[in-house]
Amino acid sequence: MNLEYTPEQRAFRLEVRAWMETNVPKERLPSFDLTREGFEAHRDWERKLSDGRWGMVTWPEELGGRGLDLIRWLIFEEEYYRAEAPTRVNQNGIFLLGPTMMEFGTEEQKQRFLPSMAAGDVIWAQAWSEPGAGSDLAGVRSTCARDGDEYVLNGQKIWSSRAVFADWAFGLFREPGSERHKGMSLILFPLDAPGVTRRPIERMDGEKVFAEIFLDNVRVPVADRLGGEGEGWKVCMATAGFERGLLLRSPARYQQAAKRLIGLYERHRHELPASMAERVAQSWMDADAYALAIYAMCSRLAAGGTIGPESSTNKIFWSELDMALSQTALDILGPRAELAEGDPERWLDYYIFALAGPIYAGSNEIQRNIIAERMLGLPKG
């Protein structure tokens, strides 16, 4: 394996770095989960990225991208996190729905939805979970009844990321009377359509990251179904592969956090036990190991491979790494972590968010079942 960057890749890194240094806002943007103002500020950032053709670098140029490979996407991500650029408000669209649409969408759907997604003009929410179906998506009960050239959607979605202010959502619905993995379709719908009601859900840290979505006889054209009718499970699993295994959490996030952790340790090492150095070093090594694993995965994809059930191992690894990084930081800071003036890097916020990692994108318990059955060939319990 050649771990050296090519001259072209190094030049690309410098290009990204120069653009970020010129364009990343000097002041932290207000949260996109608290107010419409913060949400729109992040939409404006998405538009600025698009103006520089950085909205989603792997997409074809005619769809708003640069047509680059995944290795250059990883380089872009490293420079993005290095610059401490704003969190992507449209991550549900560009990292989850977009790649799925590339694989399953019609040409008309790609032309209609992807450029506006890359430009930040349309922000997407994910509408998968329901009160009785979260990690076990086969338990979805919301329905899509066919009526000529339309579907009539009914049901309730919950824990829908970005749905408080987003423009559109993609959700999993089933044909009335169908059960488990059969009869489901992935359908796109506008969140301001007649019959759609949104209700924000406040997270334990006070931010309204999620919303409930109630659908009461919502009519959408059949043309807004992604993939074949009744093939929603297959389409959904492709999206989950991107979410868990590659795009939602790029390794740059953890490498940058590990660098911050080392800096924190250096500032406080005179007051810490020797064992803390080992924990900090382990976090740094784990972040780098995850990065190398993702580089290997991207190389395999470039050679024609696919993301398989190993995406579940990735999901468990990055979610547990996130918790270990932030827990180590809190142990370094001690009680100062709870004081605003004692922790300008806000490690406590990082830790609270990391606690959700083993739950979202499919709980780690479900991922362990997938690993046992599909990778290790163990019988179902």
Side-chain angles (χ1 to χ4, degrees):
M1 178 184 293
N2 182 5
L3 296 179
E4 296 293 325
Y5 292 110
T6 65
E8 292 77 15
Q9 289 166 344
R10 287 195 289 270
F12 175 70
R13 180 183 296 281
L14 293 178
E15 180 186 359
V16 180
R17 184 171 297 184
W19 192 90
M20 292 293 169
E21 289 176 350
T22 301
N23 292 281
V24 169
K26 304 304 179 190
E27 301 291 332
R28 186 187 183 95
L29 299 182
S31 170
F32 51 58
D33 286 323
L34 284 180
T35 64
R36 171 62 75 177
E37 178 190 11
F39 189 87
E40 295 303 326
H42 281 78
R43 189 199 297 269
D44 289 343
W45 167 245
E46 296 283 345
R47 286 170 171 156
K48 176 169 281 191
L49 282 170
S50 178
D51 290 342
R53 295 195 304 118
W54 302 111
M56 192 56 190
V57 297
T58 58
W59 293 1
E61 292 186 29
E62 64 272 21
L63 297 177
R66 288 181 171 232
L68 303 181
D69 57 26
L70 285 170
I71 298 298
R72 294 196 196 204
W73 172 72
L74 289 171
I75 293 171
F76 171 79
E77 285 286 294
E78 290 167 4
E79 293 302 317
Y80 193 90
Y81 277 93
R82 178 184 180 276
E84 299 183 350
T87 303
R88 305 294 299 271
V89 69
N90 210 13
Q91 60 183 6
N92 290 313
I94 58 176
F95 294 150
L96 304 183
L97 178 60
T100 309
M101 193 172 287
M102 289 285 187
E103 185 171 346
F104 294 97
T106 64
E107 285 306 313
E108 189 276 336
Q109 287 175 328
K110 294 175 186 176
Q111 295 294 333
R112 179 182 168 201
F113 291 112
L114 292 177
S116 61
M117 192 186 297
D121 291 333
V122 176
I123 306 295
W124 288 81
Q126 187 183 39
W128 283 7
S129 296
E130 297 183 0
S135 295
D136 181 17
L137 282 174
V140 160
R141 307 311 304 168
S142 293
T143 58
C144 54
R146 183 78 178 255
D147 182 15
D149 292 332
E150 293 182 322
Y151 286 114
V152 182
L153 308 182
N154 280 287
Q156 179 187 354
K157 300 292 181 178
I158 196 169
W159 308 122
S160 296
S161 307
R162 305 290 96 76
V164 177
F165 300 115
D167 306 299
W168 278 65
F170 54 99
L172 201 56
F173 298 86
R174 67 168 57 257
E175 179 184 347
S178 63
E179 293 293 336
R180 299 298 294 171
H181 305 90
K182 297 180 179 178
M184 291 195 287
S185 295
L186 191 71
I187 296 177
L188 320 176
F189 60 97
L191 284 165
D192 61 355
V196 173
T197 302
R198 311 185 237 189
R199 187 161 67 192
I201 301 173
E202 193 168 286
R203 204 171 57 182
M204 62 186 295
D205 62 1
E207 297 202 4
K208 299 178 179 64
V209 180
F210 308 104
E212 292 178 283
I213 303 174
F214 299 90
L215 301 111
D216 184 14
N217 292 320
V218 177
R219 289 186 169 271
V220 298
V222 169
D224 288 350
R225 182 194 68 231
L226 186 59
E229 190 168 65
E231 296 179 356
W233 183 256
K234 180 176 72 174
V235 179
C236 180
M237 288 302 99
T239 308
F242 291 121
E243 181 180 33
R244 298 165 183 164
L246 182 59
L247 294 174
L248 181 65
R249 292 287 177 260
S250 77
R253 168 191 170 91
Y254 308 105
Q255 290 177 297
Q256 195 62 33
K259 289 178 182 177
R260 290 172 49 214
L261 182 64
I262 291 172
L264 182 69
Y265 170 77
E266 289 293 333
R267 292 193 295 277
H268 296 278
R269 63 184 304 174
H270 62 281
E271 59 191 67
L272 298 171
S275 59
M276 190 60 74
E278 184 177 341
R279 291 176 60 186
V280 172
Q282 187 64 55
S283 292
W284 184 84
M285 289 188 294
D286 287 347
D288 254 28
Y290 179 61
L292 289 172
I294 296 301
Y295 267 92
M297 172 183 281
C298 289
S299 298
R300 192 168 65 252
L301 291 173
T306 57
I307 300 178
E310 69 272 20
S311 63
S312 295
T313 62
N314 286 359
K315 197 273 168 169
I316 293 173
F317 191 87
W318 59 248
S319 60
E320 294 186 348
L321 171 60
D322 220 17
M323 292 180 62
L325 276 162
S326 52
Q327 180 65 67
T328 302
L330 295 189
D331 290 344
I332 290 173
L333 287 165
R336 288 168 298 196
E338 299 183 36
L339 302 174
E341 65 273 19
D343 176 22
E345 293 184 313
R346 301 170 60 181
W347 280 102
L348 183 59
D349 291 347
Y350 191 126
Y351 175 71
I352 291 173
F353 182 77
L355 289 176
I359 301 173
Y360 67 79
S363 75
N364 284 9
E365 286 76 13
I366 293 294
Q367 304 315 307
R368 289 188 171 89
N369 283 344
I370 293 172
I371 293 167
E373 294 171 12
R374 302 182 194 173
M375 297 181 72
L376 303 179
L378 298 177
K380 292 185 178 181

